[in-house]
Amino acid sequence: MADRSVVIIGLPESGKTTFLAALWHLITDRTLPTVLSFRDLLSGDVAHLNAITARWRDARVQERTAVGGNKLVSMNLKDASGEPVRITFPDVAGEAYRRMWEDRSCDQDVSDILRSGGVLLFIHADTIRPPQWTVDEIALSKKLGLSVPPGGEVPWHPRLAPTQVQIVGLLQLMRQAPLDVGPRKLAVMLSAWDKVSAEGMQPAAFVKAKMPLLSQYLRQNADSWDSRVYGLSAQGGDYDDTKEGAKPNAEAQTLRELDQPSKRIRLVEKRIVTQDLTEPLAWLMDASASGN
């Protein structure tokens, strides 16, 4: 069996674990056609996959992956010709990638993971931090009646950088030693697409409008990324928060009542809309395909 590796990266709470949960449900439920399909059971422990998928089916917010609790998730699939393939994903805490940006360092196990396979980059489309201009911040503060001391300095921290700056920084780090393995494919996954789709833009146009630095970086192909941009709604709406005292969410209840949980899923690439979460994986593994 061919063993392919797909690296999943993204800042904290960008939708990585939710994607894995929805994907595992989709291929094991087998009610919808997919480019890659379920082949057979794994020989190892699938407790993590089953746990996150149960939360997804129940429309409950996923628990954050613990720092240092990296899990390798494997799925035995087959392509359209019936050829077997095992796809291995790392479920790594987003904090590990934040540390790469802020401290320019990562643990050895994360470094080993990042040196193999195509890349799924997750960006939460509804929480993109835009550039902040000083004059706009001062004007807003004055409108709110807040004092703005002349000459006052605001301490800067790398976490305050715009989302697009952090993302481009991560991608550049992956094209430098010791993480560089040469040109690779990159699938940009704009999660929570249902929150922003009303703006009427295609995913690539959304990136160009909201994150022009990232868009230009990918279009100029300075670091040899062969890329595609997808809009992804793996949840389908707001889920129940499991924190103590949190009230049930009416939208979550509606999602639970669907006859097929897979109907929550929406994947958009250009003008094509599908529920097949294996399509980006098949593209990442196809050496002959082009993202342009």
Side-chain angles (χ1 to χ4, degrees):
M1 179 185 296
D3 200 337
R4 317 285 177 83
S5 181
V6 175
V7 177
I8 300 180
I9 69 172
L11 297 172
E13 300 183 55
S14 55
K16 302 182 296 296
T17 301
T18 299
F19 169 81
L20 284 176
L23 175 65
W24 185 239
H25 167 84
L26 186 68
I27 62 173
T28 54
D29 184 59
R30 292 184 277 196
T31 57
L32 297 177
T34 54
V35 177
L36 301 176
S37 57
F38 185 73
R39 181 175 184 268
D40 55 34
L41 293 174
L42 299 173
S43 58
D45 180 18
V46 295
H48 177 62
L49 275 174
N50 290 336
I52 62 176
T53 302
R55 295 178 71 88
W56 180 84
R57 290 194 188 104
D58 291 341
R60 291 183 293 148
V61 174
Q62 295 288 344
E63 296 177 354
R64 294 181 63 180
T65 305
V67 177
N70 305 333
K71 300 178 184 296
L72 282 179
V73 175
S74 294
M75 301 181 184
N76 291 342
L77 308 177
K78 58 184 177 182
D79 60 21
S81 66
E83 190 70 23
V85 57
R86 176 182 291 114
I87 304 180
T88 303
F89 309 87
D91 192 2
V92 178
E95 291 293 344
Y97 299 120
R98 174 171 282 168
R99 187 183 303 138
M100 284 177 58
W101 157 251
E102 295 179 0
D103 302 333
R104 293 299 195 267
S105 67
C106 67
D107 296 335
Q108 185 62 51
D109 58 340
V110 176
S111 175
D112 293 340
I113 288 169
L114 294 180
R115 283 199 292 266
S116 62
V119 179
L120 279 171
L121 167 64
F122 281 79
I123 302 172
H124 195 292
D126 197 38
T127 59
I128 294 171
R129 181 184 178 88
Q132 303 293 317
W133 302 101
T134 303
V135 291
D136 294 335
E137 292 294 304
I138 292 175
L140 178 60
S141 297
K142 289 181 176 179
K143 286 182 179 179
L144 296 174
L146 303 176
S147 61
V148 184
E153 294 184 2
V154 177
W156 187 82
H157 189 278
R159 198 166 299 183
L160 298 176
T163 300
Q164 61 178 338
V165 174
Q166 297 187 45
I167 294 298
V168 171
L170 280 175
L171 293 176
Q172 289 178 325
L173 287 173
M174 292 186 66
R175 297 293 286 118
Q176 299 175 15
L179 304 180
D180 185 21
V181 294
R184 280 199 275 183
K185 287 187 173 184
L186 172 71
V188 179
M189 312 295 285
L190 298 172
S191 63
W193 185 248
D194 52 301
K195 299 289 187 181
V196 300
S197 59
E199 297 189 33
M201 289 185 281
Q202 298 301 318
F206 181 87
V207 171
K208 185 176 181 179
K210 306 295 184 179
M211 294 179 286
L213 175 66
L214 174 60
S215 177
Q216 184 179 29
Y217 170 74
L218 296 177
R219 284 188 288 108
Q220 294 303 314
N221 202 27
D223 285 332
S224 300
W225 290 106
D226 182 8
S227 64
R228 280 187 179 182
V229 182
Y230 296 84
L232 169 67
S233 177
Q235 290 192 179
D238 291 330
Y239 281 9
D240 283 339
D241 196 326
T242 55
K243 294 179 181 177
E244 186 176 352
K247 296 181 179 179
N249 188 301
E251 194 170 21
Q253 182 59 35
T254 300
L255 293 171
R256 281 191 288 268
E257 292 173 354
L258 290 173
D259 58 339
Q260 293 181 18
S262 301
K263 291 181 178 179
R264 305 175 192 176
I265 301 169
R266 290 291 183 276
L267 182 71
V268 182
E269 199 267 322
K270 295 180 179 177
R271 297 187 180 278
I272 300 174
V273 181
T274 181
Q275 293 167 315
D276 184 4
L277 297 182
T278 73
E279 194 280 332
L281 305 179
W283 175 74
L284 286 172
M285 295 186 301
D286 185 358
S288 65
S290 171
N292 301 316

